[in-house]
Amino acid sequence: MSFELTDEQQLTRSSVREFAEADVAPIAAEIDREHRPPLDIVPKLGELGLLGMLVPEEYGGVGMDTVSYCIAIEELSRVCASTAVLVEAHSSLCTWPIVHYGTEEQKQAYLPDLASGAKIGAFGLTEPNAGSDAGNTATTAVRDGDEFILNGQKIFITNGGFADVFVIMARSTDAPGTHGVSAFIVDRDTPGFTIGEPEHKMGIRGSSTVPLFFSDARIPAANLLGQEGKGFNLAMATLDGGRTGIAAQAVGIAQGAFEAAVAYAKERVQFGKPIASLQAIQWMIADMATEIEAGRLLVYQAADLEWRHEPFATHSAMAKLFCAEMATRVAGKAIQIHGGVGYTEAYPVERAYRDAKITEIYEGTNEIQRLVVSRAFLR
Ligand code: COS
Protein backbone atom coordinates (compact mmCIF):
# COMPACT_ATOMS: atom_id res chain seq x y z
CA MET A 1 0.00 0.00 0.00
CA SER A 2 1.37 3.36 -1.01
CA PHE A 3 0.12 6.75 0.11
CA GLU A 4 2.38 8.49 -2.36
CA LEU A 5 0.92 10.27 -5.35
CA THR A 6 2.33 9.30 -8.74
CA ASP A 7 4.44 11.78 -10.71
CA GLU A 8 1.43 12.38 -12.94
CA GLN A 9 -0.84 13.11 -9.97
CA GLN A 10 1.72 15.48 -8.47
CA LEU A 11 2.03 17.23 -11.81
CA THR A 12 -1.76 17.60 -11.95
CA ARG A 13 -1.68 19.24 -8.54
CA SER A 14 1.11 21.68 -9.40
CA SER A 15 -0.24 22.64 -12.82
CA VAL A 16 -3.86 23.09 -11.65
CA ARG A 17 -2.66 25.05 -8.62
CA GLU A 18 -0.62 27.34 -10.85
CA PHE A 19 -3.63 27.97 -13.09
CA ALA A 20 -5.99 28.38 -10.12
CA GLU A 21 -3.73 30.91 -8.43
CA ALA A 22 -3.08 32.89 -11.62
CA ASP A 23 -6.47 32.86 -13.34
CA VAL A 24 -9.17 31.78 -10.88
CA ALA A 25 -8.23 33.24 -7.49
CA PRO A 26 -8.26 36.86 -8.77
CA ILE A 27 -11.92 36.57 -9.90
CA ALA A 28 -13.27 34.34 -7.12
CA ALA A 29 -14.59 37.06 -4.79
CA GLU A 30 -15.91 39.11 -7.70
CA ILE A 31 -17.99 36.34 -9.32
CA ASP A 32 -19.36 35.48 -5.87
CA ARG A 33 -20.35 39.09 -5.24
CA GLU A 34 -21.87 39.50 -8.70
CA HIS A 35 -23.56 36.07 -8.80
CA ARG A 36 -21.79 35.61 -12.14
CA PRO A 37 -20.53 32.27 -13.52
CA PRO A 38 -16.85 32.36 -14.57
CA LEU A 39 -17.62 32.01 -18.27
CA ASP A 40 -14.55 34.05 -19.28
CA ILE A 41 -12.25 31.30 -18.11
CA VAL A 42 -14.14 28.41 -19.75
CA PRO A 43 -11.93 28.54 -22.90
CA LYS A 44 -8.81 28.31 -20.70
CA LEU A 45 -10.33 25.42 -18.72
CA GLY A 46 -10.90 23.68 -22.05
CA GLU A 47 -7.40 24.45 -23.33
CA LEU A 48 -5.86 22.96 -20.19
CA GLY A 49 -7.90 19.78 -20.54
CA LEU A 50 -9.86 20.51 -17.36
CA LEU A 51 -13.19 19.95 -19.10
CA GLY A 52 -12.14 16.63 -20.61
CA MET A 53 -10.57 15.01 -17.58
CA LEU A 54 -12.96 12.05 -17.53
CA VAL A 55 -13.20 11.73 -21.33
CA PRO A 56 -10.93 9.16 -23.00
CA GLU A 57 -8.24 10.46 -25.33
CA GLU A 58 -9.91 8.90 -28.39
CA TYR A 59 -12.80 11.36 -27.92
CA GLY A 60 -10.55 14.36 -27.38
CA GLY A 61 -10.27 14.14 -23.61
CA VAL A 62 -7.40 13.64 -21.21
CA GLY A 63 -8.47 10.22 -19.91
CA MET A 64 -7.24 11.16 -16.45
CA ASP A 65 -7.28 8.76 -13.49
CA THR A 66 -9.92 9.54 -10.89
CA VAL A 67 -7.42 10.46 -8.14
CA SER A 68 -5.90 13.08 -10.45
CA TYR A 69 -9.39 14.30 -11.27
CA CYS A 70 -10.14 14.74 -7.57
CA ILE A 71 -6.85 16.57 -7.07
CA ALA A 72 -7.82 18.97 -9.86
CA ILE A 73 -11.25 19.59 -8.29
CA GLU A 74 -9.57 20.06 -4.89
CA GLU A 75 -7.12 22.64 -6.28
CA LEU A 76 -9.83 24.64 -8.06
CA SER A 77 -12.01 24.54 -4.91
CA ARG A 78 -9.12 25.76 -2.79
CA VAL A 79 -9.51 29.15 -4.46
CA CYS A 80 -13.03 29.08 -5.97
CA ALA A 81 -15.75 26.53 -5.25
CA SER A 82 -17.98 27.99 -7.98
CA THR A 83 -15.42 27.34 -10.69
CA ALA A 84 -14.81 23.88 -9.28
CA VAL A 85 -18.48 22.90 -9.39
CA LEU A 86 -18.77 24.11 -12.98
CA VAL A 87 -16.03 21.62 -13.85
CA GLU A 88 -17.38 18.90 -11.53
CA ALA A 89 -20.99 18.93 -12.78
CA HIS A 90 -19.82 19.12 -16.40
CA SER A 91 -17.38 16.23 -15.92
CA SER A 92 -18.86 13.85 -13.35
CA LEU A 93 -22.52 14.36 -14.15
CA CYS A 94 -22.55 14.92 -17.91
CA THR A 95 -19.42 13.58 -19.61
CA TRP A 96 -19.14 10.54 -17.32
CA PRO A 97 -22.56 8.97 -18.12
CA ILE A 98 -22.05 9.63 -21.86
CA VAL A 99 -18.63 7.94 -21.72
CA HIS A 100 -20.01 4.96 -19.80
CA TYR A 101 -23.51 4.52 -21.25
CA GLY A 102 -23.39 6.29 -24.61
CA THR A 103 -23.57 4.56 -27.98
CA GLU A 104 -20.60 5.07 -30.29
CA GLU A 105 -22.65 7.64 -32.24
CA GLN A 106 -23.52 9.56 -29.06
CA LYS A 107 -19.90 9.57 -27.91
CA GLN A 108 -18.70 10.81 -31.31
CA ALA A 109 -21.43 13.45 -31.42
CA TYR A 110 -21.03 14.86 -27.91
CA LEU A 111 -17.74 14.05 -26.24
CA PRO A 112 -15.20 15.97 -28.37
CA ASP A 113 -17.07 19.27 -27.91
CA LEU A 114 -17.63 18.63 -24.20
CA ALA A 115 -13.98 17.69 -23.70
CA SER A 116 -12.70 20.83 -25.44
CA GLY A 117 -15.11 23.15 -23.67
CA ALA A 118 -16.81 24.10 -26.94
CA LYS A 119 -19.90 22.82 -25.12
CA ILE A 120 -20.70 22.68 -21.42
CA GLY A 121 -22.68 19.90 -19.80
CA ALA A 122 -25.30 19.64 -17.07
CA PHE A 123 -27.41 16.94 -15.40
CA GLY A 124 -31.11 17.02 -14.60
CA LEU A 125 -32.46 14.65 -11.98
CA THR A 126 -33.99 16.80 -9.22
CA GLU A 127 -37.60 17.95 -9.44
CA PRO A 128 -39.89 19.79 -7.01
CA ASN A 129 -41.16 16.45 -5.66
CA ALA A 130 -38.11 14.31 -6.45
CA GLY A 131 -35.22 15.54 -4.31
CA SER A 132 -33.87 12.89 -1.94
CA ASP A 133 -36.65 10.65 -3.30
CA ALA A 134 -35.02 10.80 -6.71
CA GLY A 135 -37.08 7.87 -8.03
CA ASN A 136 -40.25 9.97 -7.82
CA THR A 137 -39.50 11.55 -11.21
CA ALA A 138 -42.60 13.13 -12.73
CA THR A 139 -41.09 14.47 -15.97
CA THR A 140 -42.35 12.28 -18.80
CA ALA A 141 -40.86 11.15 -22.09
CA VAL A 142 -43.46 9.71 -24.46
CA ARG A 143 -42.32 7.85 -27.53
CA ASP A 144 -43.68 9.17 -30.83
CA GLY A 145 -42.14 7.41 -33.83
CA ASP A 146 -38.45 8.17 -33.86
CA GLU A 147 -38.75 10.86 -31.20
CA PHE A 148 -39.50 11.23 -27.49
CA ILE A 149 -41.69 14.10 -26.30
CA LEU A 150 -40.57 15.52 -22.94
CA ASN A 151 -42.87 17.32 -20.51
CA GLY A 152 -42.12 18.42 -16.97
CA GLN A 153 -39.77 20.44 -14.83
CA LYS A 154 -36.33 20.08 -13.23
CA ILE A 155 -34.96 22.32 -10.48
CA PHE A 156 -31.58 23.32 -9.02
CA ILE A 157 -29.66 22.40 -12.17
CA THR A 158 -25.99 23.31 -11.88
CA ASN A 159 -24.54 24.95 -15.06
CA GLY A 160 -28.08 25.04 -16.45
CA GLY A 161 -27.98 28.75 -17.29
CA PHE A 162 -25.34 28.30 -19.95
CA ALA A 163 -24.96 24.56 -20.59
CA ASP A 164 -25.36 23.21 -24.12
CA VAL A 165 -25.87 19.52 -23.35
CA PHE A 166 -28.10 18.10 -20.62
CA VAL A 167 -28.41 14.54 -19.34
CA ILE A 168 -32.06 14.42 -18.24
CA MET A 169 -34.03 11.75 -16.35
CA ALA A 170 -37.64 11.30 -17.41
CA ARG A 171 -40.30 8.64 -16.97
CA SER A 172 -40.76 6.83 -20.28
CA THR A 173 -42.57 3.64 -19.33
CA ASP A 174 -45.47 2.70 -17.07
CA ALA A 175 -43.19 0.61 -14.87
CA PRO A 176 -43.60 1.66 -11.23
CA GLY A 177 -41.15 3.72 -9.15
CA THR A 178 -37.55 3.86 -10.19
CA HIS A 179 -38.06 1.33 -12.99
CA GLY A 180 -39.91 3.59 -15.43
CA VAL A 181 -37.17 6.22 -15.57
CA SER A 182 -34.84 6.63 -18.57
CA ALA A 183 -31.94 8.98 -19.31
CA PHE A 184 -31.81 11.26 -22.35
CA ILE A 185 -29.30 13.62 -23.90
CA VAL A 186 -31.05 16.94 -24.54
CA ASP A 187 -29.59 19.81 -26.55
CA ARG A 188 -30.13 23.33 -25.28
CA ASP A 189 -31.70 24.55 -28.53
CA THR A 190 -34.47 21.90 -28.47
CA PRO A 191 -37.81 23.67 -29.17
CA GLY A 192 -40.03 23.40 -26.08
CA PHE A 193 -37.05 23.28 -23.73
CA THR A 194 -36.60 26.49 -21.74
CA ILE A 195 -34.36 27.63 -18.93
CA GLY A 196 -35.75 29.50 -15.90
CA GLU A 197 -34.40 32.30 -13.73
CA PRO A 198 -31.24 31.66 -11.66
CA GLU A 199 -31.58 30.90 -7.94
CA HIS A 200 -30.14 33.43 -5.47
CA LYS A 201 -28.05 31.25 -3.22
CA MET A 202 -26.26 31.47 0.11
CA GLY A 203 -23.00 30.20 -1.41
CA ILE A 204 -21.39 29.07 -4.68
CA ARG A 205 -22.87 32.27 -6.04
CA GLY A 206 -20.65 32.12 -9.09
CA SER A 207 -22.34 28.86 -10.05
CA SER A 208 -25.44 28.85 -12.25
CA THR A 209 -28.41 27.08 -10.62
CA VAL A 210 -31.65 27.17 -12.60
CA PRO A 211 -34.91 25.34 -13.21
CA LEU A 212 -35.54 23.66 -16.59
CA PHE A 213 -38.92 23.41 -18.29
CA PHE A 214 -40.01 20.90 -20.92
CA SER A 215 -43.17 21.61 -22.83
CA ASP A 216 -43.66 19.12 -25.67
CA ALA A 217 -39.90 19.17 -26.23
CA ARG A 218 -39.16 16.66 -28.99
CA ILE A 219 -35.81 14.93 -28.99
CA PRO A 220 -34.56 12.18 -31.31
CA ALA A 221 -35.15 8.66 -29.97
CA ALA A 222 -31.45 8.15 -30.69
CA ASN A 223 -30.76 10.43 -27.70
CA LEU A 224 -31.96 7.80 -25.23
CA LEU A 225 -28.87 7.28 -23.03
CA GLY A 226 -28.36 3.72 -21.85
CA GLN A 227 -31.19 1.21 -21.65
CA GLU A 228 -34.78 2.36 -21.51
CA GLY A 229 -36.11 1.99 -17.95
CA LYS A 230 -32.59 1.96 -16.49
CA GLY A 231 -32.22 5.71 -16.10
CA PHE A 232 -32.47 5.63 -12.32
CA ASN A 233 -29.62 3.13 -12.10
CA LEU A 234 -27.60 5.31 -14.50
CA ALA A 235 -28.29 8.37 -12.34
CA MET A 236 -27.28 6.54 -9.15
CA ALA A 237 -24.08 5.19 -10.72
CA THR A 238 -23.30 8.70 -12.00
CA LEU A 239 -23.79 10.14 -8.52
CA ASP A 240 -21.51 7.50 -6.98
CA GLY A 241 -18.58 9.09 -8.80
CA GLY A 242 -19.98 12.60 -8.50
CA ARG A 243 -20.04 12.29 -4.73
CA THR A 244 -16.29 11.67 -4.63
CA GLY A 245 -15.90 14.84 -6.69
CA ILE A 246 -18.00 16.83 -4.21
CA ALA A 247 -15.97 15.38 -1.35
CA ALA A 248 -12.83 16.60 -3.17
CA GLN A 249 -14.48 20.00 -3.53
CA ALA A 250 -15.10 20.06 0.23
CA VAL A 251 -11.45 19.18 0.94
CA GLY A 252 -10.34 22.01 -1.35
CA ILE A 253 -12.66 24.54 0.30
CA ALA A 254 -11.40 23.45 3.73
CA GLN A 255 -7.76 23.66 2.59
CA GLY A 256 -8.23 27.19 1.30
CA ALA A 257 -9.89 28.31 4.55
CA PHE A 258 -7.20 26.57 6.60
CA GLU A 259 -4.35 28.30 4.76
CA ALA A 260 -6.05 31.66 5.20
CA ALA A 261 -6.44 30.97 8.94
CA VAL A 262 -2.80 29.95 9.36
CA ALA A 263 -1.59 33.09 7.57
CA TYR A 264 -3.87 35.31 9.63
CA ALA A 265 -2.91 33.64 12.92
CA LYS A 266 0.76 34.37 12.21
CA GLU A 267 0.19 37.99 11.29
CA ARG A 268 -2.50 39.09 13.77
CA VAL A 269 -0.97 40.46 16.96
CA GLN A 270 -2.95 40.52 20.22
CA PHE A 271 -1.65 40.68 23.78
CA GLY A 272 1.70 41.70 22.26
CA LYS A 273 2.28 38.57 20.16
CA PRO A 274 0.86 36.79 17.10
CA ILE A 275 -2.28 34.88 17.99
CA ALA A 276 -0.60 31.76 16.53
CA SER A 277 1.37 31.59 19.77
CA LEU A 278 -1.84 31.08 21.76
CA GLN A 279 -2.80 27.51 22.54
CA ALA A 280 -6.49 28.19 21.80
CA ILE A 281 -5.50 28.96 18.20
CA GLN A 282 -2.89 26.19 17.96
CA TRP A 283 -5.47 23.56 18.92
CA MET A 284 -7.90 24.79 16.32
CA ILE A 285 -5.14 24.67 13.68
CA ALA A 286 -4.21 21.13 14.74
CA ASP A 287 -7.82 19.93 14.56
CA MET A 288 -8.37 21.58 11.18
CA ALA A 289 -5.19 20.07 9.67
CA THR A 290 -6.01 16.62 11.01
CA GLU A 291 -9.58 16.64 9.73
CA ILE A 292 -8.55 17.87 6.28
CA GLU A 293 -5.97 15.12 5.99
CA ALA A 294 -8.48 12.45 7.06
CA GLY A 295 -10.97 13.71 4.49
CA ARG A 296 -8.38 13.83 1.75
CA LEU A 297 -7.46 10.19 2.39
CA LEU A 298 -11.13 9.16 2.19
CA VAL A 299 -11.43 10.98 -1.14
CA TYR A 300 -8.33 9.42 -2.64
CA GLN A 301 -9.34 5.96 -1.42
CA ALA A 302 -12.81 6.22 -3.03
CA ALA A 303 -11.29 7.61 -6.25
CA ASP A 304 -8.63 4.91 -6.35
CA LEU A 305 -11.22 2.15 -5.83
CA GLU A 306 -13.25 3.55 -8.73
CA TRP A 307 -10.20 3.73 -10.97
CA ARG A 308 -9.37 0.09 -10.17
CA HIS A 309 -12.98 -0.94 -10.94
CA GLU A 310 -13.58 -2.04 -7.35
CA PRO A 311 -16.90 -1.35 -5.59
CA PHE A 312 -16.66 2.22 -4.33
CA ALA A 313 -20.21 3.56 -3.79
CA THR A 314 -20.05 3.16 -0.01
CA HIS A 315 -16.63 4.82 0.09
CA SER A 316 -17.70 7.75 -2.06
CA ALA A 317 -20.73 8.28 0.21
CA MET A 318 -18.46 8.09 3.28
CA ALA A 319 -16.04 10.57 1.70
CA LYS A 320 -18.80 13.03 0.88
CA LEU A 321 -20.43 12.65 4.28
CA PHE A 322 -17.23 13.24 6.22
CA CYS A 323 -15.65 15.87 3.98
CA ALA A 324 -18.76 18.01 3.63
CA GLU A 325 -19.27 18.26 7.39
CA MET A 326 -15.53 18.64 7.90
CA ALA A 327 -15.39 21.56 5.44
CA THR A 328 -18.20 23.37 7.25
CA ARG A 329 -16.43 22.83 10.59
CA VAL A 330 -13.03 23.90 9.25
CA ALA A 331 -14.40 27.00 7.51
CA GLY A 332 -16.25 27.88 10.73
CA LYS A 333 -13.03 27.63 12.73
CA ALA A 334 -11.21 29.68 10.09
CA ILE A 335 -13.74 32.47 10.66
CA GLN A 336 -13.34 32.09 14.42
CA ILE A 337 -9.56 32.50 14.13
CA HIS A 338 -10.06 35.65 12.06
CA GLY A 339 -12.53 37.04 14.61
CA GLY A 340 -14.65 39.98 13.46
CA VAL A 341 -12.88 40.50 10.12
CA GLY A 342 -13.52 36.86 9.24
CA TYR A 343 -17.22 37.67 9.22
CA THR A 344 -16.69 40.33 6.55
CA GLU A 345 -16.06 40.09 2.83
CA ALA A 346 -12.56 41.47 3.36
CA TYR A 347 -11.28 37.91 3.92
CA PRO A 348 -12.11 34.76 1.93
CA VAL A 349 -13.21 32.63 4.88
CA GLU A 350 -16.84 33.78 5.01
CA ARG A 351 -17.17 32.72 1.35
CA ALA A 352 -15.57 29.38 2.18
CA TYR A 353 -18.12 28.86 4.95
CA ARG A 354 -21.05 29.66 2.66
CA ASP A 355 -19.61 27.51 -0.12
CA ALA A 356 -18.87 24.57 2.20
CA LYS A 357 -22.50 24.29 3.31
CA ILE A 358 -23.79 23.22 -0.10
CA THR A 359 -21.47 20.20 -0.12
CA GLU A 360 -23.66 18.80 2.69
CA ILE A 361 -26.68 19.09 0.40
CA TYR A 362 -26.07 18.64 -3.32
CA GLU A 363 -25.42 15.32 -5.06
CA GLY A 364 -27.32 13.75 -2.17
CA THR A 365 -27.78 15.25 1.27
CA ASN A 366 -25.62 13.92 4.03
CA GLU A 367 -28.71 12.17 5.38
CA ILE A 368 -28.85 10.26 2.06
CA GLN A 369 -25.12 9.49 2.34
CA ARG A 370 -25.79 8.05 5.81
CA LEU A 371 -28.57 5.95 4.30
CA VAL A 372 -26.26 4.67 1.54
CA VAL A 373 -23.45 3.89 4.02
CA SER A 374 -25.69 2.21 6.60
CA ARG A 375 -27.38 0.07 3.95
CA ALA A 376 -23.98 -1.39 3.05
CA PHE A 377 -23.59 -2.69 6.60
CA LEU A 378 -27.17 -3.53 7.49
CA ARG A 379 -28.52 -5.19 4.38
N1 COS B 1 -25.72 2.27 -8.85
C1 COS B 1 -26.53 1.63 -9.73
N2 COS B 1 -27.79 1.27 -9.42
C2 COS B 1 -28.25 1.61 -8.21
C3 COS B 1 -27.47 2.27 -7.26
C4 COS B 1 -26.15 2.60 -7.62
N3 COS B 1 -25.35 3.25 -6.77
N4 COS B 1 -28.19 2.49 -6.15
C5 COS B 1 -29.40 1.94 -6.37
N5 COS B 1 -29.42 1.42 -7.62
C6 COS B 1 -30.52 0.69 -8.25
C7 COS B 1 -30.94 -0.48 -7.36
O1 COS B 1 -30.14 -1.61 -7.62
C8 COS B 1 -32.37 -0.66 -7.82
O2 COS B 1 -32.35 -1.31 -9.07
P1 COS B 1 -33.35 -2.50 -9.40
O3 COS B 1 -34.70 -2.07 -8.90
O4 COS B 1 -33.24 -2.63 -10.87
O5 COS B 1 -32.85 -3.67 -8.62
C9 COS B 1 -32.85 0.76 -8.08
O6 COS B 1 -31.66 1.53 -8.32
C10 COS B 1 -33.62 1.35 -6.93
O7 COS B 1 -32.78 1.35 -5.80
P2 COS B 1 -33.28 1.61 -4.34
O8 COS B 1 -34.41 0.67 -4.06
O9 COS B 1 -32.12 1.62 -3.45
O10 COS B 1 -33.91 3.07 -4.49
P3 COS B 1 -34.53 4.03 -3.43
O11 COS B 1 -35.76 4.62 -4.00
O12 COS B 1 -34.58 3.36 -2.09
O13 COS B 1 -33.50 5.25 -3.41
C11 COS B 1 -31.66 6.51 -2.66
C12 COS B 1 -32.22 5.16 -3.08
C13 COS B 1 -32.46 7.20 -1.58
C14 COS B 1 -30.27 6.21 -2.17
C15 COS B 1 -31.61 7.42 -3.93
O14 COS B 1 -32.91 7.83 -4.29
C16 COS B 1 -30.74 8.62 -3.76
O15 COS B 1 -29.52 8.54 -3.89
N6 COS B 1 -31.35 9.80 -3.51
C17 COS B 1 -30.62 11.03 -3.48
C18 COS B 1 -30.64 11.64 -4.83
C19 COS B 1 -29.57 12.62 -5.02
O16 COS B 1 -28.40 12.38 -4.73
N7 COS B 1 -29.93 13.76 -5.58
C20 COS B 1 -29.00 14.75 -5.88
C21 COS B 1 -29.42 15.36 -7.15
S1 COS B 1 -28.19 15.46 -8.33
S2 COS B 1 -27.23 17.09 -7.83
Side-chain angles (χ1 to χ4, degrees), residues 35-50:
H35 294 247
R36 174 168 60 81
L39 296 183
D40 297 348
I41 60 168
V42 165
K44 190 80 186 278
L45 289 168
E47 231 172 80
L48 293 174
L50 293 173

mmCIF file of all heavy atoms in Angstrom, residues 35-50:
data_model
loop_
_atom_site.group_PDB
_atom_site.id
_atom_site.type_symbol
_atom_site.label_atom_id
_atom_site.label_comp_id
_atom_site.label_asym_id
_atom_site.label_seq_id
_atom_site.Cartn_x
_atom_site.Cartn_y
_atom_site.Cartn_z
ATOM 1 N N HIS A 35 -22.733 37.234 -8.430
ATOM 2 C CA HIS A 35 -23.557 36.065 -8.798
ATOM 3 C C HIS A 35 -23.348 35.741 -10.292
ATOM 4 O O HIS A 35 -24.308 35.530 -11.033
ATOM 5 C CB HIS A 35 -25.048 36.325 -8.538
ATOM 6 C CG HIS A 35 -25.384 36.497 -7.091
ATOM 7 N ND1 HIS A 35 -26.148 35.599 -6.398
ATOM 8 C CD2 HIS A 35 -25.046 37.442 -6.200
ATOM 9 C CE1 HIS A 35 -26.288 36.003 -5.144
ATOM 10 N NE2 HIS A 35 -25.607 37.126 -4.998
ATOM 11 N N ARG A 36 -22.092 35.726 -10.713
ATOM 12 C CA ARG A 36 -21.787 35.609 -12.144
ATOM 13 C C ARG A 36 -20.911 34.386 -12.399
ATOM 14 O O ARG A 36 -19.820 34.295 -11.840
ATOM 15 C CB ARG A 36 -21.035 36.889 -12.582
ATOM 16 C CG ARG A 36 -20.525 36.896 -13.986
ATOM 17 C CD ARG A 36 -20.065 38.299 -14.387
ATOM 18 N NE ARG A 36 -18.987 38.844 -13.550
ATOM 19 C CZ ARG A 36 -17.702 38.536 -13.700
ATOM 20 N NH1 ARG A 36 -17.315 37.714 -14.643
ATOM 21 N NH2 ARG A 36 -16.790 39.080 -12.903
ATOM 22 N N PRO A 37 -21.378 33.439 -13.219
ATOM 23 C CA PRO A 37 -20.535 32.275 -13.518
ATOM 24 C C PRO A 37 -19.245 32.686 -14.236
ATOM 25 O O PRO A 37 -19.253 33.657 -14.997
ATOM 26 C CB PRO A 37 -21.409 31.419 -14.441
ATOM 27 C CG PRO A 37 -22.796 31.910 -14.244
ATOM 28 C CD PRO A 37 -22.693 33.358 -13.866
ATOM 29 N N PRO A 38 -18.159 31.960 -14.004
ATOM 30 C CA PRO A 38 -16.854 32.364 -14.570
ATOM 31 C C PRO A 38 -16.700 31.957 -16.033
ATOM 32 O O PRO A 38 -15.781 31.215 -16.398
ATOM 33 C CB PRO A 38 -15.864 31.608 -13.674
ATOM 34 C CG PRO A 38 -16.601 30.367 -13.287
ATOM 35 C CD PRO A 38 -18.053 30.738 -13.194
ATOM 36 N N LEU A 39 -17.610 32.455 -16.874
ATOM 37 C CA LEU A 39 -17.615 32.013 -18.274
ATOM 38 C C LEU A 39 -16.371 32.453 -19.029
ATOM 39 O O LEU A 39 -15.943 31.780 -19.972
ATOM 40 C CB LEU A 39 -18.875 32.519 -18.990
ATOM 41 C CG LEU A 39 -20.182 31.950 -18.423
ATOM 42 C CD1 LEU A 39 -21.389 32.430 -19.226
ATOM 43 C CD2 LEU A 39 -20.155 30.420 -18.392
ATOM 44 N N ASP A 40 -15.748 33.567 -18.585
ATOM 45 C CA ASP A 40 -14.548 34.053 -19.279
ATOM 46 C C ASP A 40 -13.412 33.045 -19.235
ATOM 47 O O ASP A 40 -12.545 33.053 -20.115
ATOM 48 C CB ASP A 40 -14.050 35.359 -18.632
ATOM 49 C CG ASP A 40 -15.065 36.473 -18.760
ATOM 50 O OD1 ASP A 40 -16.018 36.283 -19.539
ATOM 51 O OD2 ASP A 40 -14.908 37.505 -18.080
ATOM 52 N N ILE A 41 -13.391 32.226 -18.196
ATOM 53 C CA ILE A 41 -12.247 31.302 -18.108
ATOM 54 C C ILE A 41 -12.566 29.914 -18.663
ATOM 55 O O ILE A 41 -11.704 29.040 -18.667
ATOM 56 C CB ILE A 41 -11.670 31.187 -16.678
ATOM 57 C CG1 ILE A 41 -12.722 30.686 -15.703
ATOM 58 C CG2 ILE A 41 -11.037 32.480 -16.218
ATOM 59 C CD1 ILE A 41 -12.113 30.289 -14.372
ATOM 60 N N VAL A 42 -13.790 29.725 -19.177
ATOM 61 C CA VAL A 42 -14.140 28.414 -19.752
ATOM 62 C C VAL A 42 -13.190 28.014 -20.894
ATOM 63 O O VAL A 42 -12.712 26.881 -20.932
ATOM 64 C CB VAL A 42 -15.632 28.364 -20.171
ATOM 65 C CG1 VAL A 42 -15.921 27.187 -21.086
ATOM 66 C CG2 VAL A 42 -16.513 28.290 -18.918
ATOM 67 N N PRO A 43 -12.858 28.950 -21.827
ATOM 68 C CA PRO A 43 -11.929 28.544 -22.895
ATOM 69 C C PRO A 43 -10.586 28.052 -22.340
ATOM 70 O O PRO A 43 -10.028 27.068 -22.830
ATOM 71 C CB PRO A 43 -11.737 29.825 -23.715
ATOM 72 C CG PRO A 43 -12.966 30.645 -23.433
ATOM 73 C CD PRO A 43 -13.351 30.323 -22.025
ATOM 74 N N LYS A 44 -10.089 28.709 -21.282
ATOM 75 C CA LYS A 44 -8.809 28.305 -20.700
ATOM 76 C C LYS A 44 -8.946 26.935 -20.008
ATOM 77 O O LYS A 44 -8.047 26.095 -20.084
ATOM 78 C CB LYS A 44 -8.368 29.385 -19.691
ATOM 79 C CG LYS A 44 -6.958 29.257 -19.173
ATOM 80 C CD LYS A 44 -5.914 29.802 -20.136
ATOM 81 C CE LYS A 44 -4.487 29.545 -19.702
ATOM 82 N NZ LYS A 44 -3.976 30.495 -18.717
ATOM 83 N N LEU A 45 -10.098 26.727 -19.345
ATOM 84 C CA LEU A 45 -10.335 25.421 -18.717
ATOM 85 C C LEU A 45 -10.290 24.334 -19.790
ATOM 86 O O LEU A 45 -9.722 23.253 -19.586
ATOM 87 C CB LEU A 45 -11.709 25.391 -18.030
ATOM 88 C CG LEU A 45 -11.894 26.221 -16.755
ATOM 89 C CD1 LEU A 45 -13.373 26.312 -16.380
ATOM 90 C CD2 LEU A 45 -11.099 25.615 -15.591
ATOM 91 N N GLY A 46 -10.892 24.639 -20.943
ATOM 92 C CA GLY A 46 -10.903 23.678 -22.052
ATOM 93 C C GLY A 46 -9.496 23.431 -22.588
ATOM 94 O O GLY A 46 -9.071 22.285 -22.770
ATOM 95 N N GLU A 47 -8.773 24.527 -22.799
ATOM 96 C CA GLU A 47 -7.398 24.453 -23.328
ATOM 97 C C GLU A 47 -6.514 23.572 -22.439
ATOM 98 O O GLU A 47 -5.689 22.810 -22.921
ATOM 99 C CB GLU A 47 -6.819 25.859 -23.278
ATOM 100 C CG GLU A 47 -6.196 26.396 -24.529
ATOM 101 C CD GLU A 47 -5.892 27.878 -24.276
ATOM 102 O OE1 GLU A 47 -4.867 28.151 -23.633
ATOM 103 O OE2 GLU A 47 -6.717 28.731 -24.681
ATOM 104 N N LEU A 48 -6.695 23.709 -21.138
ATOM 105 C CA LEU A 48 -5.856 22.960 -20.189
ATOM 106 C C LEU A 48 -6.320 21.521 -20.006
ATOM 107 O O LEU A 48 -5.720 20.758 -19.239
ATOM 108 C CB LEU A 48 -5.849 23.661 -18.831
ATOM 109 C CG LEU A 48 -5.164 25.018 -18.778
ATOM 110 C CD1 LEU A 48 -5.348 25.673 -17.421
ATOM 111 C CD2 LEU A 48 -3.670 24.882 -19.087
ATOM 112 N N GLY A 49 -7.403 21.157 -20.660
ATOM 113 C CA GLY A 49 -7.904 19.781 -20.545
ATOM 114 C C GLY A 49 -8.779 19.566 -19.322
ATOM 115 O O GLY A 49 -9.184 18.443 -19.017
ATOM 116 N N LEU A 50 -9.114 20.659 -18.613
ATOM 117 C CA LEU A 50 -9.857 20.506 -17.362
ATOM 118 C C LEU A 50 -11.348 20.244 -17.572
ATOM 119 O O LEU A 50 -12.067 19.971 -16.621
ATOM 120 C CB LEU A 50 -9.661 21.741 -16.470
ATOM 121 C CG LEU A 50 -8.226 21.897 -15.939
ATOM 122 C CD1 LEU A 50 -8.052 23.223 -15.209
ATOM 123 C CD2 LEU A 50 -7.860 20.737 -15.015
#
